[in-house]
Amino acid sequence: QTDFCMGYLNKHHTDLLVTFVEAFTDLGREKAKRNAFSGGSYKFLDAKLVGIDSDNLNLEVTVADRSQPEPVKELISVPLDANAIEAKKRSYDTNVPIVPRNEKHPLDDFVRRMNRLCIITNQPAVTGKLIQLGIQLGGVGVGKLKQDMYLNQVPHNRYVRQYFYEMGAEAALDAVIQCSEGKISNRMKLVTMFPEMNPS
């Protein structure tokens, strides 16, 4: 599973890996510092995933430094529970809470934590692909609906309605708790796309 995840991310999401380096690492701090007065003097040409463990993405980054004759390769780790560096706080959301660990299902745990990093770096389109990857590799099913929902019948039965109502209520409660702890602002918008609204 680890090798497949690495191969998939290296093949399809190198731009995402570069974004992670910029947003969450000391190399990102160095880039922001070097380019403050001279844009483009320090840039990342490529990022390749060389290892994944329970806490980090280990990356080999190709760095082009104007003061060096050739690009150099640097090894760097991106913590899966990282927050954006100070230089990126204007661009990226710094109030995304850390995902509670799920030691029983490491693949689902990895997907959820990767999705958090994607949300921070404004890459929501990647989250669905990562969820699909987790399902294909045999994860318990992060983001997967139960099989006996029968969502094509209208009106839905009580069990299905209760499932979605509870999901919305839990999301609202989590937001209120995080607001009280100062992790998010006091403005909230709850959008429900409940299937019963589909008349077909």
Side-chain angles (χ1 to χ4, degrees):
Q1 291 176 336
T2 301
D3 290 342
F4 191 91
C5 285
M6 287 171 53
Y8 172 78
L9 290 168
N10 284 331
K11 182 176 181 180
H12 299 288
H13 296 294
T14 52
D15 55 336
L16 178 70
L17 298 176
V18 169
T19 301
F20 284 178
V21 174
E22 291 179 349
F24 303 118
T25 69
D26 289 337
L27 281 180
R29 286 189 189 90
E30 185 67 18
K31 179 181 178 182
K33 181 178 162 186
R34 294 279 196 93
N35 291 345
F37 299 107
S38 176
S41 64
Y42 191 91
K43 54 188 176 183
F44 305 135
L45 301 180
D46 187 34
K48 181 182 178 184
L49 196 55
V50 294
I52 301 172
D53 59 43
S54 60
D55 294 312
N56 299 287
L57 301 173
N58 302 309
L59 299 162
E60 181 183 77
V61 184
T62 305
V63 181
D65 185 346
R66 193 177 289 164
S67 64
Q68 301 292 330
E70 296 289 331
V72 295
K73 293 188 185 295
E74 300 268 4
L75 289 175
I76 196 84
S77 292
V78 176
L80 287 169
D81 292 330
N83 284 310
I85 61 173
E86 191 69 33
K88 290 292 184 180
K89 287 193 173 178
R90 282 188 181 181
S91 306
Y92 298 142
D93 189 350
T94 57
N95 292 316
V96 181
I98 291 174
V99 177
R101 297 297 302 274
N102 185 349
E103 304 287 351
K104 291 183 180 177
H105 307 295
L107 181 58
D108 290 346
D109 182 63
F110 171 74
V111 170
R112 285 190 175 97
R113 294 163 81 195
M114 281 289 290
N115 279 350
R116 175 181 173 272
L117 298 182
C118 291
I119 294 299
I120 291 173
T121 55
N122 304 320
Q123 302 276 344
V126 181
T127 59
K129 296 172 184 174
L130 291 175
I131 288 172
Q132 188 63 36
L133 175 69
I135 293 170
Q136 288 175 345
L137 291 178
V140 172
V142 53
K144 193 175 181 182
L145 290 175
K146 298 178 181 180
Q147 291 294 322
D148 57 351
M149 299 290 280
Y150 303 112
L151 295 180
N152 286 334
Q153 65 183 13
V154 177
H156 294 302
N157 62 44
R158 186 177 185 279
Y159 162 74
V160 173
R161 292 198 305 271
Q162 196 66 30
Y163 176 84
F164 285 102
Y165 295 154
E166 286 177 3
M167 187 183 291
E170 284 177 18
L173 179 60
D174 286 346
V176 171
I177 291 171
Q178 288 171 29
C179 177
S180 70
E181 294 172 350
K183 294 179 179 176
I184 59 175
S185 74
N186 61 354
R187 299 186 65 170
M188 178 173 62
K189 180 179 180 182
L190 181 62
V191 178
T192 58
M193 302 292 285
F194 187 63
E196 191 146 18
M197 299 168 81
N198 179 1
S200 60

